[in-house]
Amino acid sequence: MRLNAHKLTKWLDKWQPPPWHALLLRTLLYSGLWWVLTEGQGSLWIGALLALAIAFCAPLSVATWPAQLRWWKLPAFILFMLKLSLKGALEVATLATSQRCDANTLTYSYRFRFLTQPYQQLLMANLVNLTPGTLTLNVHHDALYIHILHHHPDVEAQLKLLESRIAGLYGLPQRSMV
Amino acid sequence: MRELLGAGFIILGIPFFIASTLGLLRFPDVYARLHALTKADNVGLGLICLGLAVQANSIAVALKIVLIWGLILLASSTGATLIASSALRHGSAPRRRSDKDTHADR
């Protein structure tokens, strides 16, 4: 109980009201989530009040989109990921149904070229798992340790392309392209 | 028409689940099996969710189904890396092509 009180005091010391635009964005996002989760049947007032309360209480670093995110690039990025995902699923399906599971598996260390922030690297680590033939084993010292299910020359180029697309999403300068 | 389109997406999703299950049974180690679970399963589930969303009675229900798919994608992708890094930490090294494959003929 004393520990909880200590945590509460620490949280109160750190807490500061979010800027109005972050508050507005969060309230809209959480109200939208309430509407979706209640399938449009829940009380809007309760949803808006809950959304406002959570938007006020959550730390600034949580549930706020990074300011540098290029929103307009998001639909094209989602389409790009869906295409890669489908390609990956077809590759796995082909291997799984082939008479001999003759996969050329190996591990590979991919060093980040543009992504420097931990949250950007974490996003790439997660997305690597959805791209054809690659699985993140570990993120360590600015590099991804990757398991490749069936190695072919396109894999490295595909990883570089994925990193450039994520860098583009965050508006990061890309010194040397593939 | 919507029912037919939805059913089409659902039927398209089923082979991916079957392929994923086959991969889970046939692939030689935990890392390769995780590929089957994170890729084929997610696309299969995505197609089934899309089929259900097309058949939904309201936009809110359709969005809820798509949200469920998105959350499962996130959980499956993060979970795969956590399982893989845990397996690696506990000494299960990824197999190489040169290693003898006892599962290949199954």
Side-chain angles (χ1 to χ4, degrees), chain A residues 96 98-99 105 126 129 131, chain B residues 26 35 39 77 81 85 95 105:
Chain A
S98 63
Q99 206 167 17
T105 56
N126 267 309
N129 292 348
T131 55
Chain B
R26 295 189 71 206
H35 282 276
K39 290 171 186 75
S77 176
T81 294
S85 60
R95 287 169 66 99
D105 292 326

Side-chain angles (χ1 to χ4, degrees), chain A residues 15 18 23 26-27 30 47-59 63:
Chain A
W15 185 82
L23 189 69
R26 286 175 180 187
T27 310
Y30 299 148
L49 278 175
L50 271 174
L52 201 62
I54 298 170
F56 255 114
C57 297

Side-chain angles (χ1 to χ4, degrees), chain A residues 15-101:
Chain A
W15 185 82
Q16 49 179 331
W20 70 269
H21 56 274
L23 189 69
L24 183 70
L25 184 72
R26 286 175 180 187
T27 310
L28 283 175
L29 182 73
Y30 299 148
S31 303
L33 270 179
W34 169 266
W35 182 73
V36 167
L37 290 176
T38 57
E39 299 177 0
Q41 310 283 316
S43 159
L44 275 180
W45 282 108
I46 295 176
L49 278 175
L50 271 174
L52 201 62
I54 298 170
F56 255 114
C57 297
L60 262 182
S61 54
V62 176
T64 307
W65 289 98
Q68 70 270 35
L69 193 74
R70 305 290 191 262
W71 288 90
W72 60 94
K73 289 187 178 175
L74 210 53
F77 184 76
I78 291 172
L79 278 179
F80 166 74
M81 280 315 302
L82 286 176
K83 201 178 104 188
L84 281 186
S85 226
L86 186 63
K87 209 174 139 192
L90 288 171
E91 190 185 274
V92 166
T94 311
L95 270 173
T97 50
S98 63
Q99 206 167 17
R100 275 186 64 86
C101 278

Side-chain angles (χ1 to χ4, degrees), chain A residues 105-125:
Chain A
T105 56
L106 59 88
T107 50
Y108 174 75
S109 193
Y110 178 81
R111 187 158 287 278
F112 290 109
R113 298 176 309 152
F114 313 122
L115 307 179
T116 49
Q117 298 298 317
Y119 62 88
Q120 296 164 351
Q121 296 178 350
L122 201 62
L123 177 67
M124 174 145 173

Side-chain angles (χ1 to χ4, degrees), chain B:
Chain B
M1 184 63 195
R2 276 197 313 156
E3 271 71 20
L4 205 65
L5 190 67
F9 279 125
I10 292 170
I11 290 168
L12 266 179
I14 292 170
F16 286 101
F17 269 112
I18 296 171
S20 163
T21 311
L22 273 176
L24 193 64
L25 293 170
R26 295 189 71 206
F27 285 168
D29 63 0
V30 63
Y31 308 100
R33 285 172 189 158
L34 283 170
H35 282 276
L37 288 183
T38 50
K39 290 171 186 75
D41 251 12
N42 285 336
V43 170
L45 183 69
L47 285 167
I48 288 173
C49 283
L50 194 62
L52 292 175
V54 166
Q55 291 180 344
N57 293 324
S58 70
I59 295 176
V61 176
L63 285 175
K64 190 177 178 180
I65 294 169
V66 174
L67 179 71
I68 289 169
W69 181 49
L71 289 175
I72 290 177
L73 268 185
L74 184 70
S76 128
S77 176
T78 311
T81 294
L82 290 176
I83 293 170
S85 60
S86 176
L88 199 66
R89 232 187 358 262
H90 290 92
S92 166
R95 287 169 66 99
R96 306 292 298 259
R97 195 185 196 182
S98 50
D99 297 341
K100 193 174 183 295
D101 190 355
T102 51
H103 294 251
D105 292 326
R106 286 185 188 180

